[in-house]
Amino acid sequence: MLNYKHLYYFRTVAKAGAINKAAEKLHLTPQTLSGQISILEDRLGVALFRRSGRRLELTDAGHTALTYADEIFAVGAELEEALLNRPGARVHPFRVGIADVVPKTIAYQLLAPALTLAEPVKLVCREDRLEQLAADLAIHRLDMVLADRPLPPSMDIKGYSHPLGECGIAFLATRALAGESPADFPACLHGLPLLIPGEDSALRAPLLRWLERLGLQPVIVGEFNDSALMGAFGQAGAGAFPVPLTTAREAMRQHEVVQLGQTLDIRERFFAISVERRLSHPAVVAVSEAARRRFQPQDAD
């Protein structure tokens, strides 16, 4: 049987990045701690760490072990809480994977209804590429994945993509950048510095096709999988950038930018991916129902 004390020691070292720091926290000598980690590695038959200068880095097996260790000790904490408190007070975890191309504001808007259920849940969010999140969903380490596209048919994973809604796109920029072109939208994008979503985003291809169809040639100065990072560059004046229409007002306030224009010819879509053909998880159902109400065809307002 796996020695969970050794697993706890491993997790502490992984978080600290060094034996000495972890040993100090655990009130052990570095030699003792190093020996305990070696016993765990021998038990598992894999190396969990490799040296990088003075620091310890996780191997691929180490990253896998750390993910499981985090879950194991999280469940342990839930067990302790359940036994110390009355049974009715238990909060159930709702584990959601968020594809890193999904705008953070959209993720909040979609997931917020899960926090208002009569039976409380604890939201546990993980952000990663869709492929990795789908793999974790398949082995039930996640309850749902939020993505900007359906589960690709090329992925050998059993899952179902439930449409949550879609919306048009607004283009934002600083006032100074917006004033550089006297043309109306969308002609003002021609020759303007533009930030676009990265290759992982489902929005990228239709955006580029739309620009080509209109004969517009902005200067693409940056590509970003992280919409928040793209917004930060946009706020600094690096270029204009697209956002979902449903978040345009919030993005203008947050980044202190103005709207160049908007279009319904490009649509950003959002999906809840689950292992259920018919949704039954209460939190997933709440997310789905609220999304349908939110993404009504009122984008042109």
Side-chain angles (χ1 to χ4, degrees), residues 19-36:
I19 288 285
N20 288 343
K21 288 183 180 179
E24 184 176 345
K25 182 176 181 180
L26 294 167
H27 304 291
L28 297 172
T29 67
Q31 294 80 6
T32 299
L33 182 55
S34 181
Q36 298 296 299

Side-chain angles (χ1 to χ4, degrees), residues 43-61:
R43 172 71 179 81
L44 297 174
V46 293
L48 300 174
F49 294 103
R50 60 171 170 265
R51 284 218 163 267
S52 177
R54 294 184 177 181
R55 289 185 60 82
L56 288 177
E57 290 186 350
L58 289 169
T59 61
D60 289 343

Side-chain angles (χ1 to χ4, degrees), residues 160-240:
Y160 302 94
S161 303
H162 308 276
L164 294 177
E166 61 181 40
C167 65
I169 297 299
F171 289 83
L172 311 182
T174 59
R175 290 187 181 277
L177 193 58
E180 289 188 7
S181 174
D184 293 333
F185 180 84
C188 63
L189 296 175
H190 188 77
L192 203 67
L194 182 65
L195 311 174
I196 66 171
E199 292 183 353
D200 286 349
S201 172
L203 180 64
R204 175 192 173 93
L207 170 59
L208 294 178
R209 287 197 297 268
W210 178 77
L211 291 170
E212 183 178 4
R213 187 169 67 249
L214 295 181
L216 301 174
Q217 295 182 338
V219 180
I220 297 176
V221 296
E223 302 181 10
F224 303 84
N225 283 335
D226 188 322
S227 61
L229 184 59
M230 181 166 63
F233 272 76
Q235 181 178 359

Side-chain angles (χ1 to χ4, degrees), residues 46-266:
V46 293
L48 300 174
F49 294 103
R50 60 171 170 265
R51 284 218 163 267
S52 177
R54 294 184 177 181
R55 289 185 60 82
L56 288 177
E57 290 186 350
L58 289 169
T59 61
D60 289 343
H63 282 290
T64 300
L66 180 59
T67 300
Y68 278 100
D70 284 341
E71 292 182 9
I72 287 169
F73 290 111
V75 171
E78 289 174 19
L79 171 62
E80 185 177 14
E81 183 179 348
L83 295 176
L84 290 174
N85 298 300
R86 56 188 177 85
R90 185 181 178 190
V91 177
H92 298 277
F94 176 37
R95 302 163 301 172
V96 181
I98 303 172
D100 50 16
V101 295
V102 174
K104 307 299 185 291
T105 305
I106 287 286
Y108 168 74
Q109 291 175 355
L110 291 173
L111 294 175
L115 300 177
T116 63
L117 294 172
E119 187 172 352
V121 301
K122 179 177 71 174
L123 190 59
V124 181
C125 293
R126 257 194 59 215
E127 190 177 27
D128 209 329
R129 298 187 65 180
L130 176 57
E131 293 78 6
Q132 180 58 54
L133 295 174
D136 288 341
L137 179 72
I139 58 175
H140 302 283
R141 290 168 63 187
L142 293 173
D143 299 307
M144 183 185 82
V145 171
L146 277 182
D148 67 340
R149 68 182 74 193
L151 192 65
S154 59
M155 295 185 66
D156 189 20
I157 292 173
K158 186 177 180 181
Y160 302 94
S161 303
H162 308 276
L164 294 177
E166 61 181 40
C167 65
I169 297 299
F171 289 83
L172 311 182
T174 59
R175 290 187 181 277
L177 193 58
E180 289 188 7
S181 174
D184 293 333
F185 180 84
C188 63
L189 296 175
H190 188 77
L192 203 67
L194 182 65
L195 311 174
I196 66 171
E199 292 183 353
D200 286 349
S201 172
L203 180 64
R204 175 192 173 93
L207 170 59
L208 294 178
R209 287 197 297 268
W210 178 77
L211 291 170
E212 183 178 4
R213 187 169 67 249
L214 295 181
L216 301 174
Q217 295 182 338
V219 180
I220 297 176
V221 296
E223 302 181 10
F224 303 84
N225 283 335
D226 188 322
S227 61
L229 184 59
M230 181 166 63
F233 272 76
Q235 181 178 359
F241 59 101
V243 299
L245 269 179
T246 59
T247 67
R249 290 182 181 177
E250 172 63 20
M252 285 189 286
R253 183 195 64 78
Q254 178 182 353
H255 298 298
E256 301 175 340
V257 292
V258 297
Q259 181 171 298
L260 299 175
Q262 62 186 50
T263 179
L264 301 182
D265 292 337
I266 315 169

